[in-house]
Structures are given as C-alpha cells and as structure tokens.
Amino acid sequence: MTSEPEKGRRRRIAVALDASAQSLRVMGLAATIAAAMEAELEGVFVEDADLLRLAGLPFLREFRLATRRENTVDRERLQRELRATARWVRESLERSASQRGCAWSFRIWRGDLGAEILSAALDAEMFTLSPIGRFAPFYSRPSAQPQLGRDTEFVVSVLFNGNEGAARALAAAADLGARHKAALCVLLQAAGPSAMRKLRDRADALLGKARGRVRYLPLQQGDSEALARAVRAVKGDLLVVDSTNDLLGRQTLWQSLGALQCPLLIVR
C-alpha cells in the first residue's frame, strides 16, 4: 500500500516551527519523513498575531532576565527579534534538510495561533505539528526520543475511522512504516464490536500484504484524552491523522496535542 500524490504534483510536507527545542526536534523528524517520501520540506515559522497585538498595549510590561528589569514592550524591538529568530530557524531548517538530502523551502506565517494554524499550509500534502508558542509550556516529553533510522523501534500510530481521508492517512502511515521498518499501530475509531470488526476488515483490505505487521487497538471514545491514552499505551512516537477528523477541530486540536506527548502528522 503506497500513498501517492496527485499526478504532476510534487509532494510537500510542511512543519510549523518556532525557536523552541521541541520545535527543532520535530523539524528533524519532518525532514526525515520528507526524505523518506521524496517530498519537499516546507518550514513555516509562526508569528503569533496575538503576541504582536499585545505588544502595542501601553500597560503591558516585560521582565528581562538578562537585566533583571521591568520595561514596557517595544513592538519594533519585538519584531526585530522575531525576524532574527526566523533567520536562525531558517538556517536550522536548511542544515536539517541538507543532512537528510531533501529539498526545502521556508516562509513566515502570521495569524491567530490558536484557531488558524491549519491554514498555514493549505497546499501541503502533510503537515507536522507539535505544541508551539504559548501552547508549548503545557507539553512535556522525555528528552531522549527514538528517531527514524536508528536501532530503537519507531512506532507510527494512525487514527482510522474508515472514511476516504482516513484511508489516505493509513496509506501514509503504512508507507512511512515500510520505508523505515517502523511498527504500525492502527487506532480503530468506531463504536461497538460489530463496527470495530468491519473497520478492521476495511483496514486489512487497504493495507494488503502489510496487514501482518500491524497492531490494532480499539478506540471507542472519540475524545482527545482517550486518544492520548491509546497513543501512550502503544508508546507511539508519531500520530498520523487525516485533516477531516473531528479531533482536529479548532476547539480540540491544542488540547489533543498537549495530551498526546508526540508530534502529529496531518494528512490532507
């Protein structure tokens, strides 16, 4: 089973980035995925529009650790710092892509981080995302993470509810797992034993010869906490989800990311 892009269209995998250590780790993972799938890696540096709007308020103060002083927030200085950070992230992206031998591009996106992040890469086939910006402090993950291509087994989990988008996500997860001999876990999103059996049969049919290497896990509750528990149970290092899944709604996306403790690969 192989996930193929539309005819004549080059595959592109986008990754949302800021200057955090977690963001840089996800950058490396996205570069590895792009190289494995012979796709272009697109780095999207996110400028939180809310942060820039707050910088213009006269009563806002910042405390700088270097000087141990409290000052008003200088909007122009903040913009200069953001531009400098964007240059540094771009250089990091270039190094990461060069090391893995994949094509790359970079752009800056400014918007409402909480509600509109999925619009940052509308034309990308896949979008790698982890908590960034003001959502990052709610995320914790051990520093020693398995990486694709290393001896430690990498576990790719995929959320599958049987629709067309989920089939694309399953294809992408199976493709990635096959290229790197990663373990594949299919989280079956259905209610009741009968629906679960039908869903597994459909996944088996789509996977074909790959189905012998797959672990299935029922996911009867369709909420972010149940999903996070399932991913942790299989020690998942990456979760693949199609962009139409309800768990990617504006009200649930960041809650899901914070609970997952692993990056999310969104398949369009």
Side-chain angles (χ1 to χ4, degrees):
M1 181 179 186
T2 304
S3 173
E4 297 292 346
E6 295 177 10
K7 187 175 180 180
R9 174 187 170 193
R10 183 171 189 173
R11 307 183 84 162
R12 183 185 298 118
I13 297 175
V15 54
L17 300 169
D18 61 10
S20 67
Q22 169 63 22
S23 181
L24 295 180
R25 286 194 293 269
V26 174
M27 176 198 299
L29 176 61
T32 302
I33 294 172
M37 295 186 168
E38 299 179 352
E40 176 188 336
L41 175 66
E42 180 183 40
V44 182
F45 181 77
V46 178
E47 290 186 354
D48 190 345
D50 284 343
L51 178 62
L52 291 170
R53 282 195 292 269
L54 287 172
L57 299 177
F59 55 81
L60 191 67
R61 296 289 186 272
E62 65 173 343
F63 181 78
R64 301 184 70 85
L65 293 176
T67 61
R68 295 181 178 273
R69 291 181 179 179
E70 182 182 284
N71 296 304
T72 58
V73 179
D74 186 330
R75 182 183 176 90
E76 292 185 1
R77 178 179 55 75
L78 178 60
Q79 290 179 322
R80 289 195 299 271
E81 290 178 352
L82 285 172
R83 285 194 292 268
T85 302
R87 286 194 297 270
W88 179 78
V89 171
R90 183 183 186 279
E91 292 168 359
S92 300
L93 178 73
E94 181 179 11
R95 286 194 300 270
S96 188
S98 298
Q99 290 169 359
R100 292 161 178 81
C102 64
W104 65 279
S105 60
F106 179 82
R107 63 190 173 101
I108 297 173
W109 178 82
R110 180 182 296 179
D112 181 346
L113 185 57
E116 300 173 1
I117 187 66
L118 292 179
S119 68
L122 285 173
D123 56 350
E125 181 184 351
M126 302 180 195
F127 190 26
T128 312
L129 187 61
S130 66
I132 57 176
R134 64 177 182 271
F135 298 97
F138 299 102
Y139 178 82
S140 62
R141 174 81 167 167
S143 58
Q145 299 184 53
Q147 299 292 324
L148 283 172
R150 294 190 178 180
D151 294 336
T152 306
E153 185 176 52
F154 193 92
V155 179
V156 178
S157 51
V158 54
L159 191 59
F160 184 72
N161 60 13
N163 67 17
E164 184 178 341
R168 290 194 298 270
L170 182 63
D175 192 9
L176 183 60
R179 290 173 189 262
H180 283 279
K181 298 180 179 179
L184 179 62
C185 179
V186 181
L187 306 176
L188 299 171
Q189 192 178 14
S194 177
M196 203 70 69
R197 284 193 297 271
K198 291 180 180 179
L199 200 57
R200 176 166 179 165
D201 289 344
R202 173 158 169 72
D204 276 344
L206 290 170
L207 288 169
K209 295 180 180 179
R211 65 179 179 271
R213 301 183 292 103
V214 178
R215 176 182 177 184
Y216 290 99
L217 189 69
L219 186 70
Q220 294 183 340
Q221 292 177 289
D223 58 73
S224 58
E225 291 184 2
L227 176 61
R229 286 195 298 269
V231 173
R232 289 196 295 267
V234 300
K235 298 181 179 179
D237 297 293
L238 177 70
L239 175 63
V240 183
V241 182
D242 76 278
S243 60
T244 64
N245 195 287
D246 292 341
L247 288 175
L248 297 183
R250 291 185 175 186
Q251 299 302 318
T252 57
L253 175 59
W254 294 104
Q255 181 183 356
S256 300
L257 277 171
L260 279 174
Q261 299 186 4
C262 77
L264 189 67
L265 182 63
I266 300 168
V267 178
R268 300 187 187 283

